[in-house]
Amino acid sequence: MRYVLPFLILIGFAITSQAQNADIAQDIRGAVKNAETSQPIEGVSIQIEGKAGAQTVTTDAQGNFRLKGLAPGRYKLMASGEGFQSYVLPDLLIHAGKQTVLDIPLRQWLYESEDVTISDQSYRQPDQPSVRPLTVEESKRFA
């Protein structure tokens, strides 16, 4: 019986501590859009890294995302999608009691190359062979 009271007090502190941590944990929500057209981008990977660890989510069909349960502090946020340039926020500060909302514009990745010509003609081997026999004297020069 004498161990029950300290045990109950310990459980009470644990529950209170856990509830307080849940109160200060914050979510980040936002949307990713094409910087040129303002259209939402689906399937963009949003990754956040901080002292508490890392978390990755993917945008939905409307370009929306939500990162949940982040402790206040400094984070690095990265957004990357196929066909778009990556977006990095190197020093994102999350405050306790304040919701963070981000609108992330991604620019299309444009790759310029030289002109390429495609024809329907096949490659034809030359009539003359490119190999000729060597004499013994010629082969000694290369040995």
Side-chain angles (χ1 to χ4, degrees):
M1 186 69 176
R2 68 178 182 182
Y3 297 110
V4 174
L5 184 60
F7 181 70
L8 291 175
I9 291 172
L10 183 61
I11 289 177
F13 280 129
I15 291 172
T16 304
S17 172
Q18 202 170 32
Q20 287 174 348
N21 286 341
D23 288 343
I24 63 170
Q26 297 298 310
D27 292 352
I28 296 176
R29 66 178 178 86
V32 179
K33 295 183 180 180
N34 185 317
E36 287 82 25
T37 65
S38 296
Q39 294 296 315
I41 306 172
E42 180 180 5
V44 174
S45 175
I46 308 292
Q47 182 178 5
I48 193 160
E49 296 174 351
K51 290 181 182 177
Q55 193 179 138
T56 303
V57 297
T58 304
T59 58
D60 62 15
Q62 290 78 36
N64 297 318
F65 67 93
R66 182 179 296 270
L67 296 157
K68 298 179 180 182
L70 300 167
R74 294 192 184 280
Y75 291 86
K76 177 180 180 181
L77 183 124
M78 296 155 289
S80 59
E82 189 173 333
F84 292 89
Q85 296 176 4
S86 294
Y87 181 88
V88 178
L89 280 173
D91 196 27
L92 176 62
L93 183 59
I94 298 177
H95 298 281
K98 276 190 170 181
Q99 185 178 36
T100 304
V101 180
L102 299 174
D103 287 320
I104 300 175
L106 290 186
R107 296 195 180 281
Q108 286 187 314
W109 182 261
L110 300 177
Y111 178 76
E112 294 182 22
S113 66
E114 297 178 20
D115 292 339
V116 176
T117 304
I118 300 173
S119 78
D120 61 352
Q121 298 175 357
S122 63
Y123 176 74
R124 191 172 154 239
Q125 293 285 344
D127 292 335
Q128 297 293 325
S130 61
V131 179
R132 70 174 185 87
L134 296 175
T135 64
V136 173
E137 290 80 24
E138 289 175 324
S139 66
K140 287 182 182 177
R141 282 190 295 174
F142 296 111

